[in-house]
Amino acid sequence: MNATLYKREMKNSLKLLLILAAVMAMYISIIIYMYEPEMMALLDDYAKAMPEIMAAVGMTAGATDLLGFMISYLYGFILLVFPMVFCILRSNSLLAKYASSGAMSYLLAAPVRRRSIVFTQIGALISGIVLLLLFATGLEIGVAEHYFPGELDLIGLLAVNSGLLCLHLFIGSICLFFSSLFSDTRYSLAFGAGIPTLMYVLQMLANAGDKAADLKYATFFTLYDASGLAAGDLDALAYSSLLLLGAVLLYAATSLVFCRKNFSI
């Protein structure tokens, strides 16, 4: 990795990270604060009144503990979509935008090997994802301990968020692969943003009703089983391992494509 380039890319990630962290902090704090009988009953009433809409974004009624409540109302939408937005926007900027704007010529003209450049960009993306999820995890623990001391299953939360990290590393690898494959940001975004977004829409449809339930087999979001991870289910752990393996393979493919690609500069 190139230290100078890495620092530059992390600085470029900072504004987006702060914005997403602020939004996530608001939702995480509100949802955990609502873990009390009256508020839980209100949310459960919403889920019963609009079951298909609430189920589409992974929100289900009937949680019996704090972690289950958080999984029901945070891990079906908030903690899936916002880190995914980071993956999409930063991946496009890390490779495709350089090629599209012509700035790639400056990177390639520097006395740095292509492998070092692409490893640095991969490292910058992974660092941003890890920082965002570390922030979310720390905030969840802090808010939960403040309002409901001793009620959060810390081991279960770490298992759930470890699986979440595997999922977003995989999403980031998809986005960055297409950012490496295409020199035009239009195509990079079309595939890099289009595929994860389509997969999430399919997951929403699968959650919403019995008629579309089989769509869960067409989306990688199904491999992330937050409830199973919280319960220590081995199948859920295996699915998360598949996501991590897929991420490693796609990051390797990104490196290979970038190192062999002919740039028009």
Side-chain angles (χ1 to χ4, degrees):
M1 291 176 63
N2 182 274
T4 302
L5 180 60
Y6 178 77
K7 291 177 182 177
R8 182 179 187 277
E9 296 300 351
M10 291 306 297
K11 184 178 180 181
N12 290 339
S13 296
L14 183 59
K15 183 177 180 180
L16 181 59
L17 282 171
L18 289 175
I19 292 172
L20 293 175
V23 176
M24 289 167 59
M26 179 185 69
Y27 279 106
I28 289 170
S29 301
I30 291 173
I31 291 298
I32 294 177
Y33 176 76
M34 294 179 74
Y35 180 69
E36 56 181 29
E38 292 183 3
M39 290 295 186
M40 289 177 66
L42 179 62
L43 288 174
D44 287 351
D45 287 342
Y46 280 128
K48 293 173 183 177
M50 302 177 291
E52 293 184 353
I53 295 176
M54 296 290 279
V57 291
M59 297 183 180
T60 56
T64 57
D65 60 13
L66 178 54
L67 181 56
F69 181 77
M70 291 164 60
I71 289 172
S72 295
Y73 295 103
L74 284 174
Y75 287 82
F77 181 77
I78 301 301
L79 293 179
L80 295 185
V81 171
F82 287 105
M84 184 169 72
V85 170
F86 174 81
C87 292
I88 291 170
L89 295 180
R90 284 304 291 142
S91 293
N92 184 65
S93 298
L94 286 168
L95 292 175
K97 192 172 182 180
Y98 276 102
S100 181
S101 66
M104 184 63 73
S105 59
Y106 296 102
L107 284 181
L108 298 181
V112 179
R113 292 185 300 175
R114 285 195 180 194
R115 182 183 299 177
S116 179
I117 293 172
V118 71
F119 279 5
T120 302
Q121 305 304 70
I122 291 172
L125 178 63
I126 291 176
S127 297
I129 295 170
V130 170
L131 284 173
L132 199 58
L133 294 188
L134 280 177
F135 170 78
T137 303
L139 183 66
E140 287 174 318
I141 294 172
V143 174
E145 288 301 312
H146 176 73
Y147 288 113
F148 309 101
E151 293 195 34
L152 180 63
D153 177 5
L154 294 177
I155 301 300
L157 177 68
L158 293 177
V160 169
N161 284 2
S162 295
L164 186 66
L165 175 61
C166 293
L167 173 64
H168 286 300
L169 288 175
F170 182 66
I171 293 173
S173 70
I174 294 173
C175 300
L176 198 62
F177 173 75
F178 287 108
S179 184
S180 173
L181 187 63
F182 297 109
S183 297
D184 191 323
T185 55
R186 292 175 299 175
Y187 299 114
S188 170
L189 283 173
F191 288 91
I195 290 176
T197 302
L198 175 62
M199 293 295 102
Y200 184 71
V201 170
L202 292 178
Q203 182 69 22
M204 290 177 66
L205 293 174
N207 290 339
D210 295 334
K211 293 181 180 179
D214 288 343
L215 288 175
K216 67 181 181 180
Y217 299 111
T219 171
F220 56 76
F221 280 97
T222 302
L223 295 175
Y224 176 59
D225 181 4
S227 297
L229 290 169
D233 184 72
L234 292 180
D235 287 341
L237 180 61
Y239 296 151
S240 292
S241 298
L242 286 176
L243 288 170
L244 182 59
L245 176 60
V248 171
L249 293 175
L250 277 174
Y251 284 126
T254 297
S255 176
L256 186 63
V257 168
F258 183 83
C259 291
R260 296 187 176 184
K261 186 174 180 178
N262 291 322
F263 290 95
S264 298
I265 54 178

